[in-house]
Amino acid sequence: MSRNLVVYNSLTRQKEKFSPIQEGFIGMYVCGPTVYNDVHLGNCRTFMSFDVIYRYLLYLGYKVRYVRNITDVGHLLDDGEDRMSKGARLDNLEPMEVAQKYSNGFHHIMSIFNTLPPSIEPRATGHILEQIEMVKEILDNGYAYEKNGSVYFDTLKFAEKTGEYGKLSGRIIEDLISESRDNLKNQDEKNHPSDFAIWMKASDEHIMKWNSPWSVGFPGWHLECSAMSTKYLGKNFDIHGGGNDLKFPHHENEIAQNVGSCGCQPANYWIHTNMLLMNGKKMSKSDGNTISPEELFTGKSVHVSKGYSPMVVRFFMLQSHYRSPNDLTDEALLAAEKGFKRLMDANKNLDGLIGASPLETILDTKISEIIEGAYSDMDDDFNTPRALARLFEIVTIINSLKDGQMSLSDISVTGITKIKDAMRTIIFDILGLKDESENNAGPLDGLMNLIIDLRQQARVNKDWGTSDKIRDSLNEIQIQIKDGKEGTSWSFK
Ligand code: AMP
Ligand code: ZN
């Protein structure tokens, strides 16, 4: 926590020093998926970006409450049908079956991509009471009106009274007013086209509906996030995130609802991720420009020449900053595959390397600077591509030490330990990558490397008693260690 984290705040459109409301704690809300069909890779990009943000905040020592919702009601299609109901109708399932099916699929993909689960994953349908309460508060405060059993948020009144509407998305209320004159005829019940439903009366054929003071109906899509973030993180919390396509209307309306009900801005920092493109165009289902995670893993798609492993895909995502668009192409994935392998190979090669200098060297200092640079990159609005570039500077050093272009006497034992710590912390803990190779023995490998390091430390200190004891004790449990030119290796006898 002693580091200086800077975050780009979409609300103020600038980078700001990050300081949480309560020292040591962070509340973070991220808009989760609408579970009416399979997640696509664009969704995955957004959730992987927030995974890295979450991981870095944890690394910094914060206790983070990470809330990511599941939208299982209220998100309407252009034709007005609820996405969940449509999914249920098409698949001949209960809406809850649809929600469960695609939530399971979503969790499965998230774990394949090695993303950490959120602390709380609330569902919209489990929070109808909280949403009804919020509608009441907004009505009581005069920022909503009821028409024929539906309740609409009064954006013009809200804008006039608070001056808050449009701040996040940059939409100007005057434009909204002139739009209203053009479009008013299509907006039957609403006073103004930018007004939005916070409660909707359900038609007879609508499947998901609840009792309320206004009608048997269902909450508006934007309401769930306002109600659930308030319930679990309080009226004012630290970070709110989502893809930048959610800025308007979803997040703008969330802010309006929160301010309209309790008078406070929900989040201090708004973080928005940029879109995933494919071959230069936005990934979108309607024009076929889409690829599912499975198609990408198996290579069964016209868009790729072969399959790519989940960690290659994650590495590819990390190579661009979360605020830049990222273009998925076969060439870029091939390059990512090479880069990821190089990184993993270097990390493995590191295991056998042992610094020979008893004192700190010039190379040690250089390495410390590179590592500090990588952490500073993460402090600078989670700049993963720059942090990765620093890791590749270290990869070059590791490879030179391994093939003898650099001498092991140029680096101390602590120098090597520093590289090992930094590589492991940044690659695995912060960036969330995993070594997928077959001969990766997981925790055992890590433990053996630790033991080999301790033995090497003893040898540098000429503590032959300890170093022999380690070797003999391992021998007794059938583990053999061999000292070679390229370092120390181990195997079962
Ligand atoms: P949805 O299930 O459509 O509500 O989207 C879930 C999350 O994925 C939201 O934060 C969206 O902004 C994000 N998202 C949707 N499409 C893309 C895309 N092509 N690239 C990146 N994020 C996306
Ligand atoms: Zn949301």
Side-chain angles (χ1 to χ4, degrees):
M1 257 177 276
S2 55
R3 304 196 65 90
N4 289 319
L5 178 63
V6 168
V7 170
Y8 182 87
N9 189 349
S10 316
L11 193 60
T12 56
R13 294 175 185 74
Q14 60 187 14
K15 281 189 188 171
E16 289 172 7
K17 181 179 167 3
F18 180 77
S19 46
I21 296 165
Q22 198 188 338
E23 183 64 36
F25 293 86
I26 293 177
M28 175 163 87
Y29 187 94
V30 173
C31 292
T34 307
V35 282
Y36 72 108
N37 62 10
D38 288 320
V39 282
H40 60 73
L41 267 168
N43 306 136
C44 295
R45 178 189 188 197
T46 286
F47 299 126
M48 273 191 250
S49 299
F50 283 104
D51 183 56
V52 173
I53 291 174
Y54 179 41
R55 285 168 178 273
Y56 193 60
L57 297 175
L58 292 175
Y59 164 78
L60 292 179
Y62 288 109
K63 202 166 179 315
V64 186
R65 181 179 291 171
Y66 173 21
V67 183
R68 189 184 63 204
N69 70 303
I70 296 259
T71 296
D72 56 0
V73 69
H75 196 170
L76 300 187
L77 293 158
D78 291 342
D79 62 7
E81 187 171 4
D82 186 292
R83 284 169 201 248
M84 298 305 308
S85 303
K86 183 167 185 180
R89 188 167 55 72
L90 293 180
D91 290 358
N92 205 11
L93 296 169
E94 272 290 318
M96 271 300 135
E97 258 180 306
V98 177
Q100 192 64 54
K101 176 178 166 191
Y102 294 111
S103 301
N104 292 348
F106 170 63
H107 291 146
H108 178 60
I109 293 297
M110 286 296 101
S111 88
I112 287 182
F113 280 129
N114 202 29
T115 65
L116 299 174
S119 335
I120 304 179
E121 194 171 51
R123 286 169 177 270
T125 50
H127 298 77
I128 301 293
L129 288 180
E130 288 82 352
Q131 297 182 71
I132 290 176
E133 280 311 305
M134 200 168 237
V135 175
K136 282 187 196 161
E137 284 167 13
I138 299 171
L139 274 167
D140 287 349
N141 292 338
Y143 291 122
Y145 53 91
E146 189 201 335
K147 280 222 184 132
N148 306 323
S150 291
V151 182
Y152 296 97
F153 193 94
D154 190 336
T155 47
L156 280 199
K157 187 160 175 201
F158 177 75
E160 276 159 20
K161 279 208 162 175
T162 66
E164 291 287 339
Y165 200 68
K167 266 195 178 164
L168 177 71
S169 58
R171 303 256 169 149
I172 299 162
I173 198 71
E174 280 72 26
D175 294 347
L176 295 171
I177 294 170
S178 63
E179 276 172 30
S180 83
R181 291 194 190 107
D182 300 338
N183 299 330
L184 204 54
K185 53 186 172 302
N186 305 323
Q187 301 294 320
D188 35 70
E189 286 180 351
K190 294 196 237 169
N191 290 347
H192 183 280
S194 64
D195 292 354
F196 55 92
I198 48 182
W199 187 264
M200 293 185 91
K201 182 178 172 178
S203 57
D204 287 346
E205 59 275 13
H206 202 98
I207 321 175
M208 302 174 86
K209 47 194 171 190
W210 293 263
N211 249 327
S212 81
W214 313 285
S215 62
V216 174
F218 55 94
W221 168 42
H222 316 300
L223 195 62
E224 56 168 293
C225 291
S226 289
M228 297 190 292
S229 64
T230 306
K231 172 157 178 157
Y232 297 111
L233 298 171
K235 290 177 173 170
N236 176 233
F237 53 93
D238 299 295
I239 298 174
H240 193 312
N244 68 9
D245 57 336
L246 296 186
K247 262 190 204 168
F248 190 87
H250 185 54
H251 289 160
E252 196 69 80
N253 291 351
E254 251 189 85
I255 295 177
Q257 292 163 158
N258 283 72
V259 177
S261 68
C262 75
C264 32
Q265 273 285 345
N268 290 355
Y269 302 88
W270 284 81
I271 299 182
H272 286 102
T273 55
N274 212 318
M275 293 291 104
L276 181 70
L277 313 175
M278 187 156 68
N279 300 318
K281 283 192 290 176
K282 190 182 167 188
M283 195 171 275
S284 126
K285 285 203 171 148
S286 48
D287 60 8
N289 196 39
T290 183
I291 186 167
S292 70
E294 286 81 7
E295 286 169 336
L296 195 49
F297 302 153
T298 56
K300 285 184 189 143
S301 160
V302 290
H303 299 293
V304 286
S305 59
K306 61 189 277 297
Y308 296 96
S309 77
M311 286 303 113
V312 167
V313 179
R314 186 168 173 122
F315 180 86
F316 159 77
M317 301 281 189
L318 294 165
Q319 278 180 312
S320 70
H321 187 252
Y322 78 84
R323 278 193 292 119
S324 309
N326 194 2
D327 192 10
L328 186 121
T329 62
D330 197 40
E331 296 75 54
L333 286 165
L334 279 169
E337 190 174 55
K338 274 198 195 136
F340 179 61
K341 183 172 183 314
R342 200 165 123 82
L343 189 63
M344 289 301 112
D345 286 349
N347 188 55
K348 262 197 228 108
N349 287 338
L350 198 50
D351 288 339
L353 293 183
I354 287 155
S357 166
L359 299 174
E360 193 175 319
T361 66
I362 298 172
L363 186 56
D364 283 14
T365 314
K366 184 174 171 193
I367 284 162
S368 297
E369 282 168 10
I370 300 173
I371 294 170
E372 172 49 31
Y375 285 112
S376 305
D377 293 331
M378 290 305 293
D379 288 335
D380 182 11
D381 195 28
F382 315 100
N383 198 323
T384 55
R386 277 215 321 253
L388 272 177
R390 307 256 192 200
L391 291 187
F392 278 100
E393 287 181 44
I394 298 183
V395 166
T396 306
I397 294 173
I398 296 171
N399 291 345
S400 305
L401 288 169
K402 164 106 177 138
D403 65 20
Q405 278 184 44
M406 272 184 190
S407 161
L408 283 165
S409 56
D410 288 340
I411 188 162
S412 70
V413 178
T414 23
I416 291 280
T417 309
K418 262 193 191 160
I419 299 186
K420 286 183 183 174
D421 285 351
M423 289 283 277
R424 286 189 188 129
T425 305
I426 299 174
I427 298 173
F428 302 117
D429 299 347
I430 297 175
L431 300 180
L433 292 164
K434 269 194 313 197
D435 190 345
E436 295 170 316
S437 59
E438 282 163 24
N439 57 0
N440 170 33
L444 180 61
D445 230 12
L447 272 177
M448 283 309 301
N449 293 332
L450 177 72
I451 293 169
I452 290 171
D453 279 358
L454 290 173
R455 177 168 168 269
Q456 184 54 25
Q457 186 87 53
R459 291 174 62 163
V460 169
N461 296 336
K462 302 201 170 15
D463 178 1
W464 308 119
T466 304
S467 99
D468 289 351
K469 184 171 184 329
I470 291 175
R471 192 196 51 219
D472 296 344
S473 306
L474 288 173
N475 238 322
E476 277 169 28
I477 54 166
Q478 305 300 310
I479 292 176
Q480 191 172 34
I481 49 178
K482 270 198 203 127
D483 298 311
K485 260 209 317 239
E486 289 182 345
T488 305
S489 61
W490 69 275
S491 59
F492 290 109
K493 286 211 279 189

